[in-house]
Amino acid sequence: MNTKDVMEKIGLQALNKFEPREVDGVFVSDMLSDVMAGAKSGNLWVTVQTHKSIVPAANLVDVSAVVITSGKEVPAETIEMATKHDIAILSTDLPIFELVGKLYGLGLVSK
Amino acid sequence: MPECQHQWKMTNIEFGFIVFEKCSHCADLRTYFSPDDTWDEYKEGDCTWSIVENAQTFRFDLQCTECNHLEKFNDLMGLLFCTGCLEDCEVELLRKKYEAEKTWLLVAFGFLPQSKTNPIPAYKLEILSDHFNQRRDTSRSRIIIVPFNLIKDISLCRGEFIHDVGMLSLEPPEERKPLF
Amino acid sequence: MIKEALNASVLEGVERLDTSVEQVYASDLMSDVLAFGKPNSFLVTGLATQQAVISAHMAEFKGVVFIRGKRPKDGAEKLSRDNQLVLMSTELDMYDACVRINSATRGDSPEPVVVTAQEQAEKMLLSNEFEIQGDDFAKAGIVSTDIKSILKKIGFDSKLVRRVAISTYEAEMNVVMHADCGKVILSVTPQMIEVLIKDQGKGIPDVEQAMQEGFTTSTEEMRAMGFGAGMGLPNIKRNTDEFEIDSEVAVGTTLRMKFNI
Amino acid sequence: MAQYYHAHKVDPDLCRGHMTCMRLCPTQAIRVRNGTAGISEELCVDCGSCLVGCPSDAIVPISDDVSETSRFKYKVVVPSPVLYSQFEASVHPYIIHLAFQELGFDAVVDVGDSAEALAFALVEYMKEYTGPLPLISSHCPSIIRLIQVKYPDLVEQVVPLDVPREITAREIKKNLPAKLGLEPEDVGVIYVAPCPARMVSIKQPAEKASSWFDGVVSIKDVFSVLMPHVVGIKETFKESMVPDDFRFTGGWATLGSITRAARMENWLAVSGVHPVMRILDDIENSRLRNIDFVEVLAHMLGCISGPFNVESPYVARANGIKRMQKYLTKAEVDPDDIRKKLKEGYYFFENPVLPRPTTYFDTDLETSIKRMKERERVYRSLRQIDCGCCGAPTCMAFADDFVRGEAKLTDCIFLAQQPDEK
């Protein structure tokens, strides 16, 4: 399953253009330090953080996409930076807990 | 016996805070790792240290899963992502060079003031780069970690620290100030 | 319930474990907890500080679960005791913690669907086993219909499903007619569907002959019922992408049929 | 997701949450949740079993209002041949025509001629046909929907010939306005249907953009207004009153009508959704090797047991047979004309019958299989006695619903009692 499939199945909104990438597990955290320590290449990173510093963190661990939950407005500079560094930013109105339920429903497990 | 092709793994992970202290007397900045989020102000000789920022981070060591070699990283304060703010900064020049190869540049910071005189050795930065590259799909892009003394003027640097700042705030996060 | 689902250790508030929780809110960002968290929720967070407890209290939560084995520093426990909060700590990460609470509240068992290492290695997506009873003409066709409905449900192309159904039916009939019992294994990999049919029966003395259209050893009654018109093996061959037959007289026959996806 | 029209719905005020309909539904399209039955639009094939079975009469047909036809200057009624069988055999078919006229219809046209022509066309079509056998009759719209939903690979074996009622309506619409000197929109053609599937096939046809009919009413509704007129006319009726050119041509109302009309040799006639599903399974497994044609109808004995009828199907069948013996005029077919029209494509469906997209677990293979495994796991934890108390007809259907997130495990009374038992 790639990022585009996940996006379509759950009804996520894409905030920038991206090349679909294989999704390998999910990582949920709002803490950059947590992501640095725990997320793996190909993970879908789910967070409410919208500050542009999520981009370097996402880049560092090479996640397949960042999903911003709770319908948070994402600053333009975050999106701009993400696009520049080839990081897909998706968005949903669901809070983290509900989104996780749906992702699990797709058969995604944490890796 | 051939040398071990180290496969690095994070170990001894400890979550905590980087405390940024500033002295109102000498205007010096110093940083340290603390497991607690302290906000104390204290006097030390002529200096009065008060905390300016308290960012969440974590400490870790890297260990090779093959040969168990352990490399301590307790002198690493954090990583900064170069955003290319200064045209003539050496980091920016390197960044431009590497960008074509889809290699992203990160700057490693040590704690202040020790790292000014005692920077993180280059071999450790290589290990750190290796570790992160081992975790990613390097066919898409790589990362490279360079020492912070390449930065032309720290006071002007607008790079992005990969730290959690303001997470404890009960107010919605506002635009964060540069740390230096 | 949350405690069991997460295999969590309770740091504070054992006596309040039976409190009913209306919602679960997962976040590390305390401003978010205050802004969006609903009263009587449970907070799942990786922020192991007093602030998490304070925020949970201010948002009128019932408790906090710290993930990845994190534990708040001193003071948090007293704080939660004063504010009637339950504190727990789990080794799971936030995703797994949410998944398990999700499953638990839906009444599901907390085991997530995890593909085992062996399955991963073989890339076997599905493997189901069925039994065929020899000589039971009334039940003939049940296995192929079952397999068909599974494949249809998964959403395979209907023409492919039909080829599998026809081949399996023929093979199933052969077992019913000529063997005492048989076993069918349906397996699916990302590239192909495989149906393996193994019977304990009289076996085929001359496989080449059996492959010829019209060749049959079935009895008059069987043919009268429309079975065994000598179409079996040739028909299987026509409908499969790969097909192997291995037969030993008085031992049994194994048919391996492969269909490319 | 596409919206599918259905000619019946659950009235939530009347529904008392009986599980009867859920158990009767042959495609497992009904779930009883929160004390009310709900019908899946996707899976419902309009057979009407639920409508007949509901003890509270809570499943109600959505029928056109007969009075709405007043906007037409000239009104033609095309009754299903089943309608005649609702009346005793002693009622002359002409009486029924007269009764319709008293109700305000200008003409009554039977489908028998079209049926006869189609039977001949079918034979001709099969002579040329070289595709997979057996062919499947297209007469029963409920079965067409069943094939679209549950047997998508069999759609190409459905005879692509249209049905008598549509051919009849088309002839009227094409020829009558000119003959009467009226505009086509001034002539209204109304069908009298024995089952909800016919209504749906007129409101939302599977194989054409729109039906040739302008409206459709159920036999039930028509019968109640027609009966007093029939009784009245019968009192003074004499056979001599029947005009010389009156023809009663019958049509296909009972099981086997089509195969008999087409004088098939290797045929099979099957009725009832469950028996039909078994036959379709056999066809899929390529078991029916010596059969060229199957006549498949959703209701036992054929359309005479359609849910919109008033008379018992057995009585209706007897009525029908007796009336045919007495009054049937053999329909005339012109073989050359039919062959010519068949070549021109006159009898064919406008559009091919296509598979109807149904809910799979997922479009992604791996995910879909994961869910399939999850379903197996859940199913194994159930009692597997299909008690139906959870609101799903079988334990497998319940496991299915659970995996889709439409049911909670605690809906199962056994799991709810022993939540910890694994």
Side-chain angles (χ1 to χ4, degrees):
Chain A
M1 197 162 10
N2 65 28
T3 38
K4 195 158 168 278
D5 298 332
V6 174
M7 184 184 120
E8 280 166 3
K9 275 174 203 152
I10 306 215
L12 303 174
Q13 213 191 327
L15 300 184
N16 58 359
K17 272 198 187 140
F18 63 90
E19 284 291 310
R21 256 188 86 174
E22 202 54 28
V23 174
D24 192 11
V26 183
F27 191 85
V28 183
S29 181
D30 300 326
M31 289 164 67
L32 305 185
S33 41
D34 242 13
V35 173
M36 270 167 82
K40 298 195 176 57
S41 175
N43 278 176
L44 200 66
W45 176 20
V46 178
T47 181
V48 289
Q49 288 276 33
T50 56
H51 188 263
K52 65 176 187 288
S53 61
I54 60 171
V55 176
N59 189 333
L60 183 66
V61 291
D62 194 30
V63 299
S64 49
V66 184
V67 185
I68 309 287
T69 59
S70 305
K72 280 275 186 84
E73 203 170 305
V74 183
E77 54 174 1
T78 303
I79 296 171
E80 197 183 302
M81 191 164 168
T83 312
K84 190 173 159 197
H85 294 99
D86 210 11
I87 305 274
I89 306 275
L90 308 174
S91 152
T92 174
D93 286 340
L94 295 171
I96 288 181
F97 185 70
E98 270 82 43
L99 177 69
V100 163
K102 292 203 165 189
L103 290 171
Y104 180 68
L106 289 184
L108 287 170
V109 290
S110 88
K111 272 183 187 152
Chain B
M1 210 175 106
E3 211 173 301
C4 177
Q5 300 287 315
H6 294 302
Q7 289 296 316
W8 299 107
K9 189 176 180 283
M10 274 189 195
T11 177
N12 302 334
I13 295 174
E14 188 185 354
F15 289 92
F17 300 85
I18 300 171
V19 184
F20 292 80
E21 288 180 337
K22 212 166 189 163
C23 170
S24 46
H25 172 73
C26 58
D28 257 3
L29 185 80
R30 64 189 204 185
T31 62
Y32 61 91
F33 182 89
S34 156
D36 298 304
D37 54 324
T38 40
W39 290 90
D40 302 334
E41 196 181 80
Y42 58 95
K43 273 189 90 138
E44 211 181 65
D46 286 341
C47 296
T48 305
W49 295 103
S50 52
I51 290 160
V52 280
E53 190 59 86
N54 198 328
Q56 274 179 291
T57 185
F58 69 123
R59 260 207 304 214
F60 59 91
D61 295 331
L62 290 177
Q63 188 163 29
C64 173
T65 51
E66 310 280 317
C67 67
N68 286 332
H69 176 82
L70 187 80
E71 199 60 57
K72 285 195 172 285
F73 276 88
N74 53 7
D75 49 352
L76 176 75
M77 182 179 86
L79 297 173
L80 178 130
F81 196 67
C82 176
T83 52
C85 50
L86 285 177
E87 281 284 326
D88 52 351
C89 174
E90 216 157 317
V91 180
E92 166 64 2
L93 297 175
L94 268 178
R95 190 188 71 85
K96 278 211 180 107
K97 182 182 147 209
Y98 282 119
E99 198 174 52
E101 302 165 27
K102 285 227 161 198
T103 296
W104 310 118
L105 212 61
L106 288 145
V107 184
F109 273 81
F111 292 100
L112 294 172
Q114 307 88 295
S115 62
K116 281 190 177 163
T117 48
N118 216 354
I120 306 171
Y123 83 92
K124 275 173 92 168
L125 296 185
E126 254 173 59
I127 292 176
L128 201 58
S129 304
D130 282 351
H131 166 258
F132 281 109
N133 283 322
Q134 277 163 12
R135 271 173 47 173
R136 67 193 290 123
D137 175 3
T138 46
S139 64
R140 295 173 45 84
S141 62
R142 303 179 60 84
I143 60 156
I144 188 164
I145 298 173
V146 298
F148 80 105
N149 48 22
L150 292 180
I151 295 179
K152 187 178 182 242
D153 187 347
I154 286 188
S155 61
L156 291 177
C157 178
R158 305 275 308 176
E160 271 302 324
F161 250 108
I162 314 182
H163 280 163
D164 292 305
V165 182
M167 287 202 54
L168 304 178
S169 155
L170 301 180
E171 301 292 317
E174 283 165 41
E175 178 57 30
R176 286 166 203 158
K177 298 173 294 258
L179 290 173
F180 295 99
Chain C
M1 175 136 85
I2 291 178
K3 177 188 178 295
E4 283 79 38
L6 299 178
N7 195 14
S9 49
V10 179
L11 306 177
E12 172 53 41
V14 185
E15 68 284 358
R16 290 185 293 274
L17 272 182
D18 53 352
T19 4
S20 70
V21 175
E22 282 167 29
Q23 272 189 330
V24 173
Y25 194 80
S27 179
D28 300 331
L29 216 58
M30 292 307 118
S31 50
D32 257 52
V33 172
L34 286 180
F36 303 109
K38 304 232 164 60
N40 302 326
S41 302
F42 226 87
L43 175 65
V44 181
T45 185
L47 185 69
T49 64
Q50 285 203 22
Q51 261 81 359
V53 181
I54 294 170
S55 311
H57 167 62
M58 287 172 71
E60 294 175 55
F61 279 26
K62 294 280 189 189
V64 183
V65 183
F66 299 104
I67 51 140
R68 300 173 132 257
K70 294 183 189 184
R71 282 156 189 260
K73 298 288 159 353
D74 322 328
E77 278 158 37
K78 182 179 180 303
L79 200 63
S80 59
R81 196 155 44 241
D82 295 347
N83 295 313
Q84 297 279 300
L85 288 164
V86 180
L87 291 195
M88 292 188 231
S89 170
T90 175
E91 293 297 323
L92 300 171
D93 70 19
M94 197 180 302
Y95 184 66
D96 276 343
C98 290
V99 161
R100 298 223 182 180
I101 298 172
N102 244 318
S103 308
T105 45
R106 279 166 69 202
D108 185 12
S109 100
E111 278 309 307
V113 193
V114 178
V115 186
T116 68
Q118 193 201 341
E119 279 173 320
Q120 197 95 54
E122 292 174 359
K123 273 278 180 196
M124 188 74 84
L125 300 175
L126 182 79
S127 178
N128 280 24
E129 225 180 280
F130 307 83
E131 300 278 336
I132 308 173
Q133 203 54 52
D135 256 349
D136 190 348
F137 284 89
K139 285 192 178 160
I142 285 193
V143 172
S144 33
T145 302
D146 276 356
I147 288 180
K148 188 171 68 181
S149 69
I150 288 176
L151 296 177
K152 273 187 189 175
K153 191 89 201 177
I154 291 175
F156 282 111
D157 175 64
S158 58
K159 288 206 166 59
L160 171 67
V161 175
R162 187 160 181 195
R163 287 200 290 127
V164 180
I166 292 174
S167 317
T168 312
Y169 177 76
E170 294 288 4
E172 187 182 357
M173 286 322 299
N174 284 336
V175 175
V176 172
M177 285 187 288
H178 304 298
D180 302 329
C181 62
K183 208 199 258 175
V184 183
I185 300 167
L186 164 73
S187 28
V188 179
T189 71
Q191 287 79 38
M192 66 169 72
I193 300 171
E194 186 188 278
V195 182
L196 183 84
I197 298 170
K198 203 175 171 139
D199 70 35
Q200 287 166 6
K202 43 192 186 220
I204 307 168
D206 185 345
V207 174
E208 228 167 85
Q209 188 185 29
M211 289 298 297
Q212 282 160 26
E213 219 149 297
F215 177 81
T216 177
T217 56
S218 54
T219 61
E220 211 44 59
E221 297 101 286
M222 288 171 178
R223 264 174 282 164
M225 286 178 73
F227 302 120
M231 298 282 287
L233 291 180
N235 209 10
I236 293 175
K237 198 175 172 178
R238 254 201 304 282
N239 283 292
T240 51
D241 290 315
E242 246 180 82
F243 157 68
E244 281 167 35
I245 182 163
D246 191 10
S247 191
E248 198 176 324
V249 175
V251 177
T253 306
T254 304
L255 262 179
R256 189 187 293 272
M257 309 186 291
K258 289 181 182 173
F259 308 85
N260 299 333
I261 292 173
Chain D
M1 198 161 290
Q3 289 284 304
Y4 298 113
Y5 176 86
H6 291 293
H8 58 297
K9 61 171 187 206
V10 179
D11 184 334
D13 295 335
L14 293 176
C15 179
R16 303 221 311 272
H18 280 103
M19 307 277 179
T20 324
C21 54
M22 175 191 89
R23 290 181 210 280
L24 285 171
C25 178
T27 57
Q28 304 195 333
I30 301 181
R31 299 290 183 276
V32 180
R33 299 259 153 81
N34 302 322
T36 311
I39 307 175
S40 154
E41 275 192 34
E42 266 177 74
L43 290 175
C44 173
V45 295
D46 307 299
C47 70
S49 307
C50 52
L51 194 140
V52 183
C54 178
S56 325
D57 288 329
I59 299 176
V60 290
I62 310 164
S63 179
D64 281 355
D65 191 349
V66 188
S67 61
E68 262 183 41
T69 57
S70 54
R71 66 193 153 104
F72 298 107
K73 284 187 184 149
Y74 193 89
K75 296 186 280 289
V76 185
V77 66
V78 178
S80 157
V82 176
L83 175 73
Y84 295 95
S85 66
Q86 304 298 299
F87 297 92
E88 277 178 49
S90 61
V91 175
H92 193 287
Y94 188 60
I95 297 181
I96 293 160
H97 283 216
L98 287 176
F100 269 120
Q101 280 164 23
E102 284 187 9
L103 275 180
F105 286 96
D106 299 290
V108 185
V109 179
D110 289 320
V111 296
D113 288 332
S114 305
E116 204 63 28
L118 273 166
F120 187 83
L122 175 63
V123 176
E124 291 296 311
Y125 174 75
M126 287 187 62
K127 276 185 196 160
E128 306 287 321
Y129 177 79
T130 53
L133 290 171
L135 281 167
I136 301 165
S137 69
S138 59
H139 187 231
C140 178
S142 194
I143 297 298
I144 290 199
R145 271 156 184 78
L146 178 73
I147 291 173
Q148 287 179 298
V149 174
K150 294 248 168 187
Y151 300 88
D153 57 308
L154 292 182
V155 289
E156 53 189 39
Q157 271 165 265
V158 174
V159 174
L161 298 181
D162 213 337
V163 291
R165 58 180 182 279
E166 285 292 332
I167 299 287
T168 307
R170 174 151 68 151
E171 308 241 298
I172 298 169
K173 285 291 230 187
K174 289 233 155 135
N175 304 329
L176 198 62
K179 216 185 261 175
L180 297 169
L182 288 170
E183 293 300 317
E185 59 268 24
D186 289 337
V187 176
V189 187
I190 311 297
Y191 185 67
V192 182
C195 64
R198 298 289 172 80
M199 281 200 168
V200 174
S201 79
I202 285 168
K203 296 282 180 187
Q204 193 185 58
E207 51 310 298
K208 53 168 84 74
S210 63
S211 163
W212 291 96
F213 284 101
D214 300 297
V216 55
V217 287
S218 72
I219 287 187
K220 211 182 246 177
D221 288 348
V222 167
F223 188 86
S224 54
V225 289
L226 205 60
M227 194 59 185
H229 294 276
V230 169
V231 173
I233 297 164
K234 202 188 166 198
E235 271 172 22
T236 56
F237 181 79
K238 288 186 201 67
E239 288 247 351
S240 57
M241 291 160 73
V242 181
D244 290 344
D245 62 346
F246 175 79
R247 294 166 64 246
F248 174 63
T249 54
W252 303 334
T254 54
L255 181 66
S257 305
I258 306 171
T259 36
R260 274 198 301 276
R263 289 167 204 87
M264 298 264 179
E265 270 179 33
N266 303 319
W267 56 271
L268 206 58
V270 186
S271 67
V273 181
H274 285 291
V276 167
M277 281 166 77
R278 283 199 63 171
I279 283 298
L280 295 177
D281 271 323
D282 281 346
I283 296 175
E284 274 194 330
N285 292 349
S286 87
R287 183 180 163 180
L288 292 184
R289 288 199 183 112
N290 306 318
I291 303 293
D292 297 335
F293 181 78
V294 289
E295 177 179 338
V296 275
L297 304 173
H299 297 106
M300 283 290 177
L301 303 176
C303 307
I304 48 164
S305 28
F308 286 167
N309 295 331
V310 287
E311 189 55 273
S312 137
Y314 299 94
V315 175
R317 182 170 63 167
N319 286 344
I321 293 170
K322 284 181 204 160
R323 181 176 283 106
M324 297 257 234
Q325 281 166 352
K326 263 174 145 170
Y327 306 113
L328 188 72
T329 328
K330 188 79 196 91
E332 288 155 22
V333 293
D334 175 354
D336 293 330
D337 181 50
I338 293 172
R339 279 194 200 102
K340 188 172 147 263
K341 281 180 172 166
L342 188 66
K343 270 217 179 77
E344 290 164 358
Y346 183 79
Y347 294 112
F348 287 92
F349 279 143
E350 274 174 33
N351 302 320
V353 177
L354 295 174
R356 194 149 98 175
T358 171
T359 321
Y360 299 122
F361 276 139
D362 209 287
T363 43
D364 172 60
L365 178 65
E366 269 185 57
T367 318
S368 195
I369 290 175
K370 268 182 195 154
R371 295 200 179 177
M372 180 59 75
K373 281 185 177 168
E374 177 86 351
R375 183 182 83 166
E376 292 287 325
R377 194 175 65 74
V378 173
Y379 180 69
R380 279 200 297 275
S381 71
L382 303 173
R383 287 280 176 101
Q384 304 174 13
I385 52 170
D386 299 345
C387 73
C389 297
C390 61
T394 61
C395 289
M396 193 54 102
F398 173 71
D400 221 290
D401 291 352
F402 172 77
V403 173
R404 265 186 236 287
E406 287 162 12
K408 295 195 291 264
L409 281 191
T410 44
D411 291 344
C412 171
I413 55 167
F414 298 107
L415 288 179
Q417 273 169 9
Q418 297 142 314
D420 297 328
E421 199 181 290
K422 281 277 138 41

